[in-house]
Amino acid sequence: MVKQFATASIAVLLWGSPALAQTIYPIDRAEILVGAQFDFKVEFPERVDPAKLKVTVNGTDYSAAFGRPGTFVDREDGKDQSALILRDVALTKPGSVTVEAGDGTRSRSVTWSVYDTGPRKAKNVILFIGDGLSPAHRVAARMLSKGITEGKSRGKLAIDDMPHMALVSTSGTDSVVTDSANSMSAYTTGHKSCVNAMGVYCARNKSNLDHPKVETISELVKRSRGMSVGVVTNTEIEDATPAAMVAHTRRRSDYNDIVKMFFDVQPDVILGGGSVNFLAKSTPGSKRTDEDDFIKKFEGAGYTFASTKNELAAAAGKPKVLGLFNTSNVDGALDRLFLKKGTVDKFPDQPDLTDQVRAALGVLSKNDKGFVLMVESGRIDKYSHSLDWERAVYETIMLDNAVKVAKEFAASRTDTLIVVVADHAHPVSIIGTYDDERPGQLLRDKLGVYDQSITPNYPAANADGYPEKVDVSRRLAFVFGSYPDYCDLGKPYLDGENVPAVAGPAKDMVANEKYCNLPGAVRKTGNLPFSANQGVHSADDVVLTASGPGAEQFHGRIDNTRVFRYIATALGLTAQASQ
């Protein structure tokens, strides 16, 4: 071994770093659905002679395997690097596929697993995403919504009462801790991606829109089955989770491009916030860079437009609906229903997630070929980023109410798969309770752990599962594992969403002094880079629960790409269309 190491070291000294091999997309160990479309690309680290290229699929020249040749790029984006790309290909037979790419000097191979689905089990799929939903959110929602006595919950959440469960791992191709773009993209395409990307593999293409694409579930079911598609969220509709249903971009912030992608795919139901990216540039408040008015474009394509809860109710029976209820995110349940903070004064008639789900089901269920509906409670994540756990947990209760609506829809039929899962986790935990009656002045004096973590005294929840007050004397100690410098009150922020850190004189993020001088505030030194102004995600596995035909596939520990695979299998997407 010493001799081998010495030889390798001499080679590096004489000839520099070992030569990089080609990069092949889709990547090694990709799982590919029979008939699903994807872009095939080989990137070479240097310029190569096309006459020396040899690219094979299971030993057969790639052009014969895919039915046509690709495009050879001598100098990709003006650099001394060549590439071969072939857009919109598909594989027609299941099995193991080995792709080898050689340039006359070196070669690289990857292996794909191509699968089919068998017969169709489910006519419809409803996929609920609790963005950032972690076990602590579920526990807190259960305690506040159902109550707890002598260690036992006084009821079940709808998301608890589902017969099948799995743990889902969420890492991306470039990082162990994912963001919502590539984690949701794994659910909607069955392929891994990288931070900030969705519907693509992250290659070296210069344009955000040119990276190798993989077909989304929305495109697939509309193209191959004529099914309907719904996208419902309480965030901006262009945000990562809803966008991943239709988008192909390296950068999730390309909101204007994402709006166009929604229009290209045309899901039958599109409900959320983010209206400013639909408005022509000349419209006051618009964030578009062109004069395209996409609200008018959608209306011209047969959509009924709704901007309020009442308008949504009136549009529920129409064939296609576009609903945009806020210029940004829809206000969260705690602010909208109780505190009247955020933008509630500006948008007083915003729908609840339950209203949106009912309206969506009313439209989508009219298609005899079935539907796929994605529903996101997105502000669980956003409020967790801002270390605002009470608001995040009220969003969890709202998600649970929406799941209850879906379960009621599915109860009278045997054809609907319901899946509830987070796209990623946050590092959050419940460690006890804060009790104002405990002696001492410091926040840590108020904390009771173990046998001192006495049951909190939130009032009994209302008919919708919400306690009407969160600022009580004995509260859950719901803590965050990642944070910038900030001041912790140990109490809810009743005057609006928490803003834990702001830019300081040196442009590094510092604790927001707005909170630091309030009674009981504790100044905490952050554990994140000084550029961070909020908490970040974690690499923890997330919990998935499921019911309905095909739900039995979900068990044990699975990769996030398997969520797509099991949905596709439940829908029998490679079976005959008549099934």
Side-chain angles (χ1 to χ4, degrees):
M1 181 166 299
V2 173
K3 182 177 179 181
Q4 291 175 343
F5 177 79
T7 303
S9 299
I10 292 171
V12 172
L13 289 172
L14 291 176
W15 297 294
S17 299
L20 297 174
Q22 318 29 302
T23 303
I24 300 172
Y25 301 103
I27 60 176
D28 191 35
R29 297 187 296 157
E31 297 181 346
I32 302 174
L33 175 68
V34 166
Q37 295 180 350
F38 61 92
D39 292 346
F40 174 65
K41 187 180 184 187
V42 181
E43 294 181 340
F44 300 92
E46 301 169 349
R47 291 182 70 185
V48 299
D49 181 354
K52 296 181 179 180
L53 292 187
K54 185 178 181 181
V55 180
T56 60
V57 178
N58 278 349
T60 300
D61 184 77
Y62 82 95
S63 61
F66 290 129
R68 52 190 168 88
T71 300
F72 175 76
V73 182
D74 181 38
R75 300 177 74 245
E76 189 172 36
D77 293 326
K79 298 178 181 179
D80 287 331
Q81 297 171 317
S82 299
L84 177 69
I85 188 160
L86 181 58
R87 303 278 187 183
D88 296 326
V89 299
L91 296 167
T92 59
K93 295 181 180 180
S96 180
V97 172
T98 299
V99 179
E100 186 168 1
D103 63 3
T105 302
R106 60 204 151 210
S107 65
R108 166 90 192 283
S109 66
V110 300
T111 301
W112 304 333
S113 176
V114 182
Y115 63 93
D116 60 13
T117 63
R120 187 172 187 171
K121 297 180 179 179
K123 178 181 178 181
N124 313 309
V125 172
I126 307 175
L127 172 63
F128 284 94
I129 303 295
D131 199 315
L133 178 66
S134 303
H137 293 114
R138 296 172 71 116
V139 173
R142 190 183 307 118
M143 287 186 179
L144 268 66
S145 182
K146 305 302 178 184
I148 182 170
T149 302
E150 296 181 327
K152 285 190 175 183
S153 175
R154 300 187 67 85
K156 291 183 179 181
L157 297 171
I159 60 177
D160 295 333
D161 195 18
M162 304 180 81
H164 299 280
M165 178 179 287
L167 290 177
V168 182
S169 299
T170 63
S171 297
T173 57
D174 64 336
S175 61
V176 294
V177 180
T178 187
D179 78 322
S180 293
N182 63 327
S183 57
M184 184 61 184
S185 184
Y187 293 160
T188 60
T189 70
H191 292 262
K192 291 285 190 180
S193 192
C194 66
V195 171
N196 289 325
M198 44 198 169
V200 298
Y201 277 106
C202 298
R204 66 181 182 218
N205 300 70
K206 186 175 182 180
S207 169
N208 292 338
L209 306 183
D210 285 344
H211 292 252
K213 298 177 178 62
V214 287
E215 193 169 26
T216 69
I217 187 71
S218 302
E219 295 166 315
L220 182 61
V221 300
K222 287 178 75 70
R223 174 180 64 81
S224 66
R225 288 293 185 268
M227 296 171 64
S228 293
V229 173
V231 183
V232 171
T233 183
N234 60 345
T235 69
E236 296 164 307
I237 196 69
E238 311 91 343
D239 204 4
T241 302
M245 291 290 288
V246 300
H248 303 279
T249 178
R250 176 64 181 83
R251 190 159 300 280
R252 58 182 285 180
S253 59
D254 292 337
Y255 276 18
N256 290 335
D257 291 320
I258 290 168
V259 169
K260 184 179 182 302
M261 293 173 193
F262 267 105
F263 187 73
D264 291 340
V265 176
Q266 296 200 5
D268 304 79
V269 176
I270 305 170
L271 305 177
S275 60
V276 292
N277 292 94
F278 283 72
L279 303 173
K281 179 181 178 181
S282 58
T283 304
S286 171
K287 290 187 178 181
R288 291 202 67 80
T289 55
D290 55 41
E291 287 299 329
D292 288 333
D293 185 329
F294 274 92
I295 293 177
K296 289 184 178 179
K297 283 179 175 286
F298 274 101
E299 288 178 325
Y303 284 75
T304 298
F305 177 66
S307 62
T308 66
K309 176 180 177 179
N310 284 333
E311 290 177 359
L312 176 62
K318 305 296 183 180
K320 295 190 289 187
V321 179
L322 169 66
L324 300 172
F325 310 108
N326 199 304
T327 52
S328 183
N329 302 301
V330 175
D331 283 298
L334 183 57
D335 286 320
R336 186 167 39 81
L337 300 175
F338 300 102
L339 301 179
K340 306 302 179 182
K341 297 295 183 179
T343 63
V344 172
D345 58 342
K346 187 177 180 181
F347 302 99
D349 192 27
Q350 300 170 90
D352 193 89
L353 202 61
T354 56
D355 302 317
Q356 294 173 270
V357 170
R358 289 190 185 96
L361 291 173
V363 174
L364 301 174
S365 61
K366 295 181 184 301
N367 189 342
D368 292 338
K369 296 179 180 178
F371 65 81
V372 171
L373 170 62
M374 190 288 298
V375 181
E376 181 201 24
S377 184
R379 301 209 71 175
I380 301 171
D381 173 72
K382 295 184 185 301
Y383 290 135
S384 297
H385 277 297
S386 60
L387 315 184
D388 200 336
W389 77 261
E390 287 93 349
R391 284 181 170 83
V393 168
Y394 272 58
E395 300 304 284
T396 306
I397 296 171
M398 183 172 64
L399 169 68
D400 196 64
N401 289 337
V403 172
K404 183 179 178 182
V405 171
K407 292 174 72 173
E408 290 169 351
F409 168 84
S412 61
R413 48 206 302 157
T414 59
D415 61 0
T416 301
L417 169 64
I418 301 175
V419 178
V420 184
V421 67
D423 49 352
H424 58 75
H426 275 271
V428 293
S429 293
I430 299 170
I431 62 169
T433 54
Y434 290 120
D435 190 342
D436 291 344
E437 300 301 317
R438 290 176 63 85
Q441 299 300 314
L442 300 177
L443 181 60
R444 64 196 305 172
D445 294 330
K446 305 299 183 183
L447 176 63
V449 298
Y450 297 115
D451 59 318
Q452 298 300 309
S453 58
I454 303 170
T455 303
N457 60 352
Y458 298 102
N462 64 18
D464 293 322
Y466 301 106
E468 296 187 4
K469 184 180 180 182
V470 291
D471 188 18
V472 295
S473 62
R474 192 163 60 246
R475 307 168 298 279
L476 290 178
F478 188 109
V479 300
F480 295 83
S482 68
Y483 46 86
D485 289 359
Y486 82 108
C487 289
D488 187 2
L489 298 178
K491 295 181 179 181
Y493 304 93
L494 299 180
D495 61 342
E497 182 179 356
N498 183 31
V499 181
V502 295
K507 296 186 179 179
D508 285 341
M509 293 297 164
V510 299
N512 188 345
E513 293 295 328
K514 172 181 177 180
Y515 307 110
C516 295
N517 295 320
L518 295 177
V522 175
R523 191 180 294 271
K524 291 189 174 180
T525 300
N527 57 12
L528 295 176
F530 287 108
S531 59
N533 66 349
Q534 58 182 5
V536 299
H537 304 165
S538 68
D540 302 347
D541 289 351
V542 297
V543 177
L544 179 151
T545 51
S547 62
E552 69 281 355
Q553 299 172 98
F554 296 102
H555 59 84
R557 201 285 308 178
I558 61 174
D559 189 76
N560 56 3
T561 57
R562 283 294 174 101
V563 174
F564 171 90
R565 179 167 178 167
Y566 295 160
I567 288 173
T569 299
L571 290 173
L573 291 184
T574 61
Q576 294 297 316
S578 60
Q579 289 184 315

